[in-house]
Amino acid sequence: MPKIETDDGVNLHVEETGTGFPLLFIHEFAGDHRSWEPQVRYFSNTHRCITYSARGYPPSDVPTDPAAYSMQRAVKDAIAVLDGLEIKKAHVVGLSMGGFTALHLTLRHPDRVVSAVVAGAGYGAQPEKQEGFRAESHATADSFEHKGAAEVAKTYAVGPARVQFQNKNPRGWAEFAEALAGHDSLGSALTMRGVQASRPSLYALKDDLAKIETPVLIVVGDEDEGCLEPDLMLKRTIPTSGLAVLPQTGHTANLEEPDLFNSTVDRFISAVDRGAWRTRDPRSLTGATM
């Protein structure tokens, strides 16, 4: 599998499967390129599926400079993957941290994104929760740095929006937790500080979000409390968006409910490809009941 070098000299591990129109997957903080296996198995029959591990996640490089980690850098890395594979445009699917990246990629490089699936994106976005989220993120980063990923995974993997996965599919959850425990501790700490804790609030981007013309599908589990309100805001703000709420589902929606996630994304991409995904009719925004 190829290694793609970014413009600041970081090598990213990239894997691709299948042929057809490109479909780029961007993983969450607690995942890596392996997290998309249920989606790659499903979509590689019809699409060229690309997964990669973000910087800080072996077998990608782990830069030791804190300045090498940011949301802006994450977007540049996604572009580096597309450029390295000579892909001009792609459908993009991101979860959580990857969902933020997919959304920022759509904002900054709309010419590269045919459609975007933004799943489980919203933690810390609400202005009144941003300070608390940042404090918790820094505390978690400290734990990764001083205790190590194996120890942190014991509690991180059973967070309020992760227990749904554990209850539904203990074996699948155990694989997820084991992979998280094997992550690079320094890479996880630097990612948590530089990307998670430092990203701008989605609410501060509402003017830009309202100008998006790219088709967007927002996906959220109804028990993913930290994302529900921000995702409603995204739906109400992005005129080309749709909102899919998965019942009795937590944060790791693509692994927790792979069949439902895949079919939802598949219908969205198919609608985009045939020109059937629409911009919201402004008559639906008058505020009147009847």
Side-chain angles (χ1 to χ4, degrees), residues 21 79 82-83 87-90 105-114 214:
F21 197 84
I79 290 294
L82 294 177
D83 287 346
I87 295 172
K88 293 182 178 180
K89 294 184 177 183
L105 184 64
T106 302
L107 283 170
R108 307 308 170 205
H109 301 277
D111 57 315
R112 308 299 297 272
V113 181
V114 175
T214 305

Side-chain angles (χ1 to χ4, degrees), residues 3-35:
K3 290 270 190 177
I4 289 176
E5 185 175 353
T6 66
D7 61 3
D8 62 342
V10 175
N11 289 306
L12 301 177
H13 175 82
V14 180
E15 297 186 3
E16 55 178 327
T17 309
T19 58
F21 197 84
L23 181 51
L24 177 68
F25 295 94
I26 309 177
H27 67 78
E28 63 147 327
F29 172 80
D32 53 50
H33 70 280
R34 298 169 292 178
S35 303

Side-chain angles (χ1 to χ4, degrees), residues 143-170:
S143 293
F144 270 105
E145 193 165 9
H146 300 301
K147 297 179 181 179
E151 188 63 29
V152 176
K154 294 177 182 178
T155 54
Y156 199 99
V158 288
R162 307 279 184 179
V163 295
Q164 297 83 356
F165 186 18
Q166 185 186 40
N167 290 334
K168 288 180 187 177
N169 185 351

Side-chain angles (χ1 to χ4, degrees), residues 28-29 71 95-97 99-100 119-127 129-134 136-137 156 159-164 192 195-203 220-231 234 249-253:
E28 63 147 327
F29 172 80
M71 179 53 63
L95 176 70
S96 192
M97 181 177 76
F100 278 94
Y123 283 112
Q126 293 160 274
K129 293 186 177 181
Q130 195 167 23
E131 184 176 346
F133 173 77
R134 286 178 174 169
E136 187 173 349
S137 295
Y156 199 99
R162 307 279 184 179
V163 295
Q164 297 83 356
M192 183 61 78
V195 181
Q196 299 283 79
S198 302
R199 65 193 178 206
S201 169
L202 294 176
Y203 288 75
V220 63
D222 65 353
E223 295 183 14
D224 195 2
E225 293 289 347
C227 294
L228 285 171
E229 293 299 330
D231 285 355
L234 290 177
T249 299
H251 192 57
T252 323

Side-chain angles (χ1 to χ4, degrees), residues 47 91 114-115 215 263-278:
H47 289 78
H91 294 292
V114 175
S115 75
S263 62
T264 301
V265 172
D266 196 5
R267 286 196 299 271
F268 166 65
I269 290 176
S270 296
V272 172
D273 286 345
R274 66 176 187 270
W277 190 263
R278 303 178 184 87

